[in-house]
Amino acid sequence: MTLSLISLLSQDVTALWLLLKTSADEIMHQDIVPLCAADIQEQLKKRFAYLSGGRGQDGSPVITFPDYPAFSEIPDKEFQNVMTYLTSIPSLQDAGIGFILVIDRRQDRWTSVKASVLRIAASFPANLQLVLVLRPTGFFQRTLSDIAFKFNRDDFKMKVPVMMLSSVPELHGYIDKSQLTEDLGGTLDYCHSRWLCHRTAIESFALMVKQTAQMLQTFGTELAETELPNDVQSTSLVLSVHTEKKAKAKEDLQLALKEGNGILESLREPLAESTSHSVNQDQLDNQATVQRLLAQLNETEAAFDEFWAKHQQKLEQCLQLRHFEQGFREVKTTLDSMSQKIAAFTDVGNSLAHVQHLLKDLTSFEEKSSVAVDRARALSLEGQQLIENKHYAVDSIHPKCEELQHLCDHFATEITRRRGLLSKSLELHSLLEMSMKWCDEGIFLLASQPVDKCQSQDGAEAALQEIEKFLETGAENKIQELNKIYKEYECILNQDLLEHVQKVFQKQESTEEMFHRRQASLKKLAAKQTRPVQPVAPRPEALTKSPSPSPGSWRSSEGSSSEGGALRRGPYRRAKSEMSESRQGRTSSTGDEEESLAILRRHVMNELLDTERAYVEELLCVLEGYAAEMDNPLMAHLISTGLQNKKSILFGNMEEIYHFHNRIFLRDLESCIDCPELVGRCFLERMEEFQIYEKYCQNKPRSESLWRQCSDCPFFQECQKKLDHKLSLDSYLLKPVQRITKYQLLLKEMLKYSKNCEGAEDLQEALSSILGILKAVNDSMHLIAITGYDGNLSDLGKLLMQGSFSVWTDHKKGHTKVKELARFKPMQRHLFLHEKAVLFCKKREENGEGYEKAPSYSYKQSLNMTAVGITENVKGDAKKFEIWYNAREEVYIIQAPTPEIKAAWVNEIRKVLTSQLQACREASQHRALEQSHSLPLPAPSSTSPTKGGNSRNVKKLEDRKTDPLSLEGYVSSSSLPKPPEKGKGWSKTSHSLEAPEEDGGWSSAEELINSSDAEEDGGLGPGKLVPGKYTVVMDDEKEGPDTLAMRTGDMVEVVEEGAEGLWYVRDLTSSKEGWVPASSLSTLLGKSSSAQCLSSSGKTYCARQLCPEPAKILSPEPV
């Protein structure tokens, strides 16, 4: 049907186009002139011949050849063009009668007359009726012409007669005076320049009409052949292009009409000026021609307008259809997606709060979906409107409208069904919640009844009344019939919910059983007692020594007992019964306590879940109500200039936090609702994701600063009004900071009630991790406040500690007074300990509000951790420790606020130095393995000339080649101790690279300790040397063949203390090594400090101390 309508519409448009084409063809095929006045304008201006508009008696056109002396000089081509053009002007009917030629040669000679007549007769292109020649008026020329004409009559033989006229009155006998111009004695008004101007304008107009007709025909062809596009964009483009072209065509058409009307007014102007003015036939013909062209243009315009109206209607209906189809596809996709979501939305909830949350989600989903549903219904109404307006594609539109209506109805039905299921679930969970609450309250009641007071009759009766009164409330709060529950809620009972119902019912029965047992006990206690009875349980030893008989023996004994035997067993049975009741009471008390703790854990878990859901909802509310609205074009006018493009600053990574909690963490918490004590595992598994809070808190100062600048922006007020919030946005921007601090409080509460539970360790670890995150967040907030540091703080590694200290400095290279003053004048510095450096900053308090009031830290200096050592204890103050740099060239005495803070810092620095030591060891071992195969072979010793000695030395050298830790030097003297060999390590006062160490990988205090007094005195006496690198301060005067010679300025390494007071030393300058007496060594080294380490009182640690090649890791050592 649609195709047929399109076909009919196309046929209508085609018919109109054919009408337009016919009209245009008529214009193009008429008034076709071989020549135009514009083409021969210069030739016509010579006026050697003209068409005055006069007519003969029978209506034949008159062409006048005025007296033109240079007639014979006119080229044939020009003469032929003028003749052709003049003869083409009259109508075909007038031209068919024949032309009358008036040749005025009154001022000419006979010879010229003859030549002119012959030339005209030879080249005249049209029919001739009569040739009238005004011969020369001079007597001689007239006589000569008479004689010559008679004798040359044969030369003038033509198809028409040639009349020689002697005067103008004689001419009037052939042509009326009114048809002759004034120069021929007539009254015809003729102006050659005006005639030429009119002819040029008429022909230009005719050409314009022809071009306009061609343009309309081409445009009409293009419109008729245009295929309807299949999409909105293409259809809109085609309609726009065609409308633009139509406007251009109409403009050209109007221009042509204006031109024609102007020419017509010009032709009518003489008659308008004077009513007595006579109009000749040519002027009438000109007016008729222009009027005819104007009429044809008007007809063409009307046909074009009708054709365009149909074409435009077709394109507009096509565009309407494409818009409808596109809207239909979009709405259908949206409704299908919504239907799939609602179909997949099968969860009926696992708790009352969960169901309420699901109902809230459903309501929110319905509200959001209402936009799509409303659009679908509006689109259906739009389709109905198109059908009523007789759209050509009714057969295509109508089914789509019905489908849209069906999709909307189906979605509404699904929403209603889903709400009904959730309402049922809400009803069931409310019942279960009431039952659980009743059970919990009952357990609380049993746990709160004091046992000592229940021992009396009055106390027992009071407790019994409390229990009976509480049991009466069970009718409204308990599950009465389980089968009825199954039948009534069958539509929502899945496996999990079914198990939950059974658990609640079992708990209810268990609670009722506890109450019944308590009732039985209290009834016994409330009964009248003749004497107070104190039940005493038998001692454990007695129970152990007297094992109970087997059940079989009891039955056998009872079967064969007599009445006396029964009386004998009576007291024992009463004691046993009382003992059993006492044990049962203790078991019941323990069970009640466990149940109470479980209830408390459940309360904490419910609070955690409820606050988590509220937190997620608040984040979503902020993101949708504020952040998303900043991109809404309708709200753009309310956003101030300072707030534009600042969404990321204002909200930070709140969206990332929302997605983590909504999609991941909330679901993890909901999975622990039945086992609250296992919630610690949820935190541990997601601890990495919690790092996103650090980024949010770092951005918080910028966010708060921006808020203070723009808080009065109308945008925020409008959003707050829409959301109906009582608090402004800044309160909600603080929620993530409040939430991350709330977790540790909830974990502490949960841990308090889960001491002996399965997940207690996980809870403790989760609490520690959350506290660690809070510390990292707090540290990062201080870190971003550092100013003046040129490098990248991230290059310094992880921030480990930060805090404020009093600092004294002591630099050996400084001036004496400066050093003395520095010892007594502390500086207040804020230290930042990183993995690779420690930064010293000056704390500056800022003025302002909120985060702007937070302090900033002005960077002063930094110490590379690879060149840092520490001394744990400083004499006189338990809160002080030392950080020294480059072998104590720079010493910083640090005083912590408390000994605990000092201990934490020392431990953290020790860990950093330990990790650096380990890395140094691994690098040293790797280099030693690489170099062990390239050591030079030593020369044979002169003191051991024997072959055996040489072989032993070669063998030692081979051993050293295979030992990655062997010494580079070689000593051949047998009188000296052997250098350290493979596997023997360092001596007691040295540091082994292989031996296990205590205290986090460090040597013991005895291995590292040295007197600080000795260092300050500057002496290194015998026995007080430690392995390390030193600088020789004087020459060795006791050189010998068996000793190592050293010179001033040499860098030596003291390796090991041997026997008889000798030290094994390696000269790093000459690459030699040997044994040196301790007394000589102390003298040679003088006050030189070890380049590796000097200890002070207390423990001293240095990363370079145990590194075999520190110069490759640290900066060059000062000499």
Side-chain angles (χ1 to χ4, degrees):
M1 182 65 181
T2 303
L3 293 176
S4 63
L5 285 173
I6 296 175
S7 177
L8 289 174
L9 185 59
S10 299
Q11 290 175 9
D12 293 342
V13 175
T14 304
L16 289 170
W17 171 72
L18 291 175
L19 177 62
L20 176 63
K21 184 174 183 298
T22 303
S23 177
D25 287 342
E26 290 177 358
I27 295 174
M28 290 187 293
H29 288 86
Q30 66 186 355
D31 298 329
I32 298 177
V33 183
L35 286 175
C36 295
D39 299 335
I40 57 173
Q41 189 171 7
E42 295 299 323
Q43 301 166 20
L44 291 173
K45 283 182 179 180
K46 293 180 180 181
R47 198 172 174 271
F48 61 83
Y50 60 86
L51 189 66
S52 64
R55 291 290 187 271
Q57 295 177 355
D58 54 358
S60 55
V62 176
I63 296 178
T64 303
F65 290 86
D67 187 16
Y68 190 77
F71 185 79
S72 60
E73 298 176 4
I74 297 172
D76 291 341
K77 181 64 175 175
E78 291 184 9
F79 182 79
Q80 186 66 38
N81 286 341
V82 172
M83 290 299 102
T84 303
Y85 177 72
L86 292 178
T87 55
S88 66
I89 293 175
S91 63
L92 295 177
Q93 181 180 358
D94 292 345
I97 300 173
F99 287 88
I100 297 176
L101 304 183
V102 177
I103 304 172
D104 184 7
R105 291 295 180 263
R106 288 176 291 175
Q107 304 298 327
D108 208 346
R109 295 176 300 174
W110 167 248
T111 55
S112 298
V113 173
K114 179 182 177 182
S116 297
V117 173
L118 291 176
R119 185 178 187 182
I120 293 170
S123 59
F124 195 76
N127 297 332
L128 282 174
Q129 185 183 25
L130 180 63
V131 178
L132 300 175
V133 181
L134 285 174
R135 59 187 177 179
T137 56
F139 177 77
F140 176 74
Q141 293 297 329
R142 185 188 302 171
T143 306
L144 182 61
S145 63
D146 287 342
I147 298 170
F149 183 72
K150 292 177 181 179
F151 286 103
N152 297 296
R153 187 178 292 275
D154 293 339
D155 294 338
F156 294 101
K157 284 183 178 181
M158 299 180 181
K159 296 181 181 179
V160 295
V162 177
M163 305 302 295
M164 288 292 180
L165 305 178
S166 299
S167 63
V168 171
E170 193 176 351
L171 175 63
H172 294 167
Y174 291 93
I175 300 175
D176 190 82
K177 289 171 62 175
S178 62
Q179 301 299 316
L180 293 175
T181 57
E182 292 179 357
D183 57 343
L184 295 177
T187 60
L188 183 63
D189 182 23
Y190 174 76
C191 176
H192 188 69
S193 60
R194 185 177 61 192
W195 174 86
L196 184 59
C197 180
H198 285 171
R199 289 305 306 174
T200 304
I202 291 171
E203 290 171 1
S204 175
F205 175 59
L207 181 61
M208 181 184 291
V209 171
K210 181 178 180 180
Q211 291 174 347
T212 303
Q214 289 176 342
M215 180 269 297
L216 291 177
Q217 182 178 3
T218 303
F219 183 44
T221 304
E222 179 184 348
L223 297 183
E225 294 177 354
T226 299
E227 294 184 0
L228 296 179
N230 292 323
D231 59 280
V232 172
Q233 185 176 0
S234 299
T235 307
S236 299
L237 181 61
V238 169
L239 182 58
S240 176
V241 171
H242 285 188
T243 303
E244 185 177 350
K245 288 184 177 180
K246 175 255 181 184
K248 181 64 171 60
K250 287 286 288 184
E251 183 180 349
D252 293 342
L253 194 60
Q254 293 297 325
L255 187 62
L257 289 170
K258 183 178 179 181
E259 181 76 15
N261 289 321
I263 294 172
L264 187 59
E265 289 180 4
S266 177
L267 292 174
R268 293 174 176 174
E269 185 177 354
L271 185 60
E273 292 177 355
S274 176
T275 55
S276 60
H277 179 77
S278 60
V279 181
N280 59 46
Q281 187 62 42
D282 282 353
Q283 290 175 339
L284 293 175
D285 290 345
N286 288 341
Q287 291 182 17
T289 300
V290 174
Q291 289 173 345
R292 185 178 69 253
L293 290 174
L294 287 173
Q296 290 174 349
L297 272 181
N298 288 325
E299 291 177 1
T300 304
E301 182 183 19
F304 176 73
D305 288 343
E306 186 178 358
F307 168 72
W308 169 253
K310 289 290 186 181
H311 180 75
Q312 186 181 27
Q313 181 186 12
K314 178 178 73 172
L315 286 181
E316 289 177 348
Q317 288 188 349
C318 178
L319 183 61
Q320 291 172 351
L321 178 62
R322 299 299 177 247
H323 273 297
F324 177 78
E325 290 174 344
Q326 179 178 338
F328 173 78
R329 288 192 295 269
E330 293 174 355
V331 169
K332 186 176 184 303
T333 302
T334 305
L335 290 177
D336 288 343
S337 175
M338 288 160 45
S339 298
Q340 290 176 1
K341 288 181 181 179
I342 199 67
F345 199 16
T346 57
D347 193 0
V348 293
N350 51 25
S351 67
L352 181 61
H354 190 198
V355 177
Q356 291 172 342
H357 185 70
L358 290 176
L359 275 169
K360 190 174 181 181
D361 287 346
L362 180 64
T363 303
S364 175
F365 177 72
E366 185 179 10
E367 290 175 355
K368 293 178 181 178
S369 303
S370 63
V371 177
V373 174
D374 293 343
R375 186 185 174 193
R377 297 190 185 279
L379 191 63
S380 178
L381 292 176
E382 182 182 336
Q384 294 294 337
Q385 190 66 35
L386 291 177
I387 294 173
E388 292 176 3
N389 292 336
K390 299 181 180 179
H391 195 282
Y392 67 82
V394 174
D395 290 347
S396 174
I397 297 173
H398 186 68
K400 290 181 173 62
C401 293
E402 291 184 345
E403 186 173 358
L404 286 175
Q405 193 63 39
H406 172 71
L407 289 173
C408 292
D409 295 342
H410 175 71
F411 179 75
T413 303
E414 286 297 311
I415 287 287
T416 304
R417 185 186 67 83
R418 176 65 187 163
R419 179 173 282 103
L421 291 177
L422 288 178
S423 298
K424 275 285 186 183
S425 179
L426 182 67
E427 184 180 333
L428 176 59
H429 279 288
S430 298
L431 181 60
L432 297 176
E433 195 81 12
M434 290 171 60
S435 178
M436 291 284 288
K437 184 178 180 181
W438 183 81
C439 293
D440 293 342
E441 290 176 353
I443 294 171
F444 271 122
L445 175 62
L446 294 177
S448 62
Q449 288 181 339
V451 179
D452 53 345
K453 292 183 179 180
C454 292
Q455 299 299 322
S456 65
Q457 184 175 359
D458 293 339
E461 288 179 351
L464 191 59
Q465 289 177 359
E466 286 182 353
I467 290 176
E468 291 174 349
K469 185 177 180 180
F470 178 79
L471 289 176
E472 291 176 357
T473 62
E476 300 175 356
N477 300 321
K478 290 192 304 181
I479 300 175
Q480 302 298 334
E481 298 180 16
L482 199 57
N483 291 331
K484 186 178 179 181
I485 295 293
Y486 291 159
K487 185 176 181 180
E488 185 175 355
Y489 299 100
E490 183 180 3
C491 57
I492 59 169
L493 279 178
N494 53 31
Q495 186 63 32
D496 293 337
L497 190 53
L498 184 62
E499 292 177 358
H500 183 50
V501 171
Q502 292 172 350
K503 287 180 180 178
V504 172
F505 189 73
Q506 290 173 2
K507 182 175 182 178
Q508 180 179 298
E509 290 184 331
S510 176
T511 303
E512 290 177 335
E513 184 179 352
M514 291 170 61
F515 270 94
H516 293 325
R517 289 200 304 267
R518 179 67 63 89
Q519 271 185 315
S521 301
L522 291 174
K523 285 180 180 179
K524 291 180 180 179
L525 294 172
K528 296 293 183 178
Q529 300 177 0
T530 56
R531 59 182 179 86
V533 177
Q534 181 66 33
V536 179
R539 294 194 317 177
E541 302 86 42
L543 293 176
T544 304
K545 293 179 181 179
S546 303
S548 302
S550 63
S553 63
W554 278 111
R555 287 192 296 269
S556 174
S557 174
E558 289 174 357
S560 58
S561 64
S562 63
E563 185 178 353
L567 293 174
R568 286 193 300 271
R569 288 195 299 270
Y572 175 74
R573 286 185 175 179
R574 284 196 303 272
K576 181 181 178 183
S577 174
E578 292 170 354
M579 179 185 69
S580 176
E581 288 182 4
S582 176
R583 186 184 297 117
Q584 184 177 354
R586 289 196 299 272
T587 304
S588 175
S589 177
T590 304
D592 291 348
E593 182 180 357
E594 287 298 324
E595 188 68 23
S596 300
L597 290 175
I599 293 171
L600 293 172
R601 287 195 297 270
R602 191 177 299 112
H603 284 324
V604 176
M605 189 67 201
N606 288 338
E607 182 182 359
L608 177 59
L609 271 175
D610 292 342
T611 54
E612 184 72 13
R613 293 185 182 115
Y615 175 56
V616 169
E617 288 295 330
E618 288 171 342
L619 292 181
L620 178 62
C621 190
V622 171
L623 292 173
E624 290 185 345
Y626 287 97
E629 289 298 308
M630 290 187 72
D631 298 327
N632 186 355
L634 299 178
M635 301 284 284
H637 66 285
L638 298 176
I639 300 177
S640 60
T641 306
L643 191 61
Q644 291 178 355
N645 302 320
K646 299 289 181 63
K647 185 170 77 170
S648 59
I649 296 177
L650 185 62
F651 298 97
N653 61 331
M654 181 181 283
E655 185 174 359
E656 184 182 7
I657 294 174
Y658 166 72
H659 287 312
F660 162 63
H661 285 272
N662 183 50
R663 298 174 180 173
I664 300 174
F665 194 61
L666 178 58
R667 298 181 182 180
D668 291 348
L669 293 179
E670 288 174 343
S671 66
C672 296
I673 192 170
D674 292 330
C675 301
E677 62 275 6
L678 302 181
V679 76
R681 177 55 50 188
C682 295
F683 283 89
L684 292 176
E685 290 176 352
R686 304 300 178 188
M687 203 53 63
E688 286 189 10
E689 284 88 339
F690 275 106
Q691 303 295 331
I692 57 179
Y693 279 91
E694 184 173 343
K695 180 179 178 182
Y696 185 85
C697 293
Q698 287 178 353
N699 180 70
K700 196 67 178 69
R702 298 173 64 201
S703 173
E704 187 161 313
S705 176
L706 179 62
W707 166 255
R708 276 193 299 276
Q709 296 172 18
C710 307
S711 59
D712 57 348
C713 178
F715 169 77
F716 295 123
Q717 299 172 7
E718 182 65 23
C719 292
Q720 184 176 351
K721 182 179 178 182
K722 286 183 179 179
L723 295 171
D724 196 21
H725 280 179
K726 295 181 180 179
L727 300 176
S728 55
L729 175 62
D730 59 328
S731 301
Y732 292 91
L733 293 177
L734 197 59
K735 292 292 183 181
V737 181
Q738 296 171 337
R739 187 60 184 172
I740 191 65
T741 56
K742 177 74 173 177
Y743 285 129
Q744 55 103 3
L745 300 176
L746 293 171
L747 286 173
K748 286 179 181 177
E749 286 294 309
M750 184 65 76
L751 184 62
K752 185 168 68 173
Y753 304 131
S754 309
K755 292 296 184 182
N756 301 320
C757 294
E758 177 185 351
E761 294 181 1
D762 288 343
L763 285 170
Q764 183 62 54
E765 187 177 352
L767 176 60
S768 301
S769 300
I770 285 291
L771 292 174
I773 287 178
L774 292 176
K775 177 184 177 299
V777 169
N778 184 54
D779 290 346
S780 68
M781 296 294 289
H782 289 274
L783 191 63
I784 62 175
I786 295 178
T787 60
Y789 184 74
D790 294 335
N792 189 351
L793 290 172
S794 61
D795 295 339
L796 303 181
K798 182 181 178 182
L799 178 63
L800 304 174
M801 304 279 284
Q802 57 86 21
S804 295
F805 299 89
S806 297
V807 180
W808 290 263
T809 59
D810 185 3
H811 300 342
K812 288 189 176 182
K813 290 186 177 182
H815 194 272
T816 305
K817 291 184 178 180
V818 176
K819 291 197 293 180
E820 291 175 356
L821 289 173
R823 289 180 181 273
F824 298 102
K825 187 177 182 180
M827 298 176 292
Q828 297 303 316
R829 290 290 182 262
H830 201 90
L831 272 60
F832 293 87
L833 177 61
H834 292 261
E835 292 175 326
K836 298 181 181 179
V838 56
L839 270 62
F840 290 75
C841 298
K842 186 173 181 180
K843 186 176 181 181
R844 301 184 185 276
E845 297 291 342
E846 300 291 344
N847 296 324
E849 299 178 0
Y851 282 95
E852 288 187 357
K853 194 176 181 181
S856 64
Y857 303 97
S858 178
Y859 169 76
K860 295 299 181 183
Q861 67 186 109
S862 62
L863 304 179
N864 194 332
M865 290 302 294
T866 56
V868 162
I870 62 168
T871 302
E872 285 192 21
N873 298 317
V874 176
K875 290 184 292 184
D877 195 336
K879 296 183 290 185
K880 289 183 179 179
F881 64 98
E882 285 185 352
I883 296 179
W884 40 270
Y885 195 65
N886 278 343
R888 300 187 67 86
E889 286 185 0
E890 302 176 17
V891 179
Y892 301 88
I893 301 174
I894 314 296
Q895 184 181 41
T898 64
E900 290 77 16
I901 295 177
K902 169 205 164 180
W905 274 74
V906 169
N907 290 335
E908 200 65 42
I909 295 174
R910 187 191 301 123
K911 290 178 183 178
V912 174
L913 299 180
T914 303
S915 63
Q916 292 182 358
L917 172 63
Q918 186 62 31
C920 192
R921 283 178 177 174
E922 294 174 358
S924 174
Q925 292 176 4
H926 181 70
R927 284 193 301 273
L929 289 173
E930 290 181 347
Q931 296 174 2
S932 62
H933 300 290
S934 59
L935 293 175
L937 187 66
S941 173
S942 59
T943 59
S944 302
T946 61
K947 182 177 181 181
N950 289 336
S951 64
R952 283 194 300 272
N953 292 339
V954 171
K955 186 176 185 303
K956 290 179 181 179
L957 178 62
E958 291 175 353
D959 292 341
R960 285 196 297 275
K961 287 183 179 180
T962 60
D963 183 8
L965 298 178
S966 64
L967 300 173
E968 296 180 1
Y970 179 75
V971 180
S972 59
S973 176
S974 60
S975 63
L976 296 176
K978 294 182 180 180
E981 295 181 357
K982 178 181 179 182
K984 293 185 178 181
W986 302 104
S987 66
K988 178 182 178 183
T989 59
S990 63
H991 312 286
S992 172
L993 294 178
E994 302 296 337
E997 300 167 352
E998 298 177 358
D999 197 11
W1002 293 97
S1003 302
S1004 65
E1006 290 78 13
E1007 293 172 328
L1008 294 169
I1009 192 166
N1010 196 359
S1011 172
S1012 61
D1013 297 334
E1015 184 219 344
E1016 291 173 3
D1017 294 341
L1020 289 173
K1024 295 184 180 181
L1025 291 170
V1026 294
K1029 291 184 180 180
Y1030 298 85
T1031 302
V1032 179
V1033 297
M1034 59 184 297
D1035 294 340
D1036 185 6
E1037 298 177 354
K1038 301 179 181 180
E1039 297 183 17
D1042 298 333
T1043 59
L1044 176 66
M1046 294 180 287
R1047 296 288 181 264
T1048 302
D1050 287 355
M1051 177 69 74
V1052 298
E1053 180 181 3
V1054 178
V1055 180
E1056 178 192 8
E1057 183 181 10
E1060 300 177 0
L1062 296 178
W1063 282 81
Y1064 194 77
V1065 179
R1066 179 184 297 120
D1067 191 334
L1068 301 178
T1069 305
S1070 61
S1071 300
K1072 296 180 181 180
E1073 54 189 57
W1075 295 95
V1076 180
S1079 59
S1080 299
L1081 187 60
S1082 298
T1083 304
L1084 294 173
L1085 300 182
K1087 297 182 180 180
S1088 172
S1089 298
S1090 170
Q1092 288 181 326
C1093 175
L1094 285 177
S1095 62
S1096 182
S1097 57
K1099 293 184 180 179
T1100 303
Y1101 302 97
C1102 177
R1104 302 182 299 159
Q1105 198 167 7
L1106 304 183
C1107 185
E1109 299 185 35
K1112 294 184 181 180
I1113 302 173
L1114 310 175
S1115 58
E1117 301 294 341
V1119 178

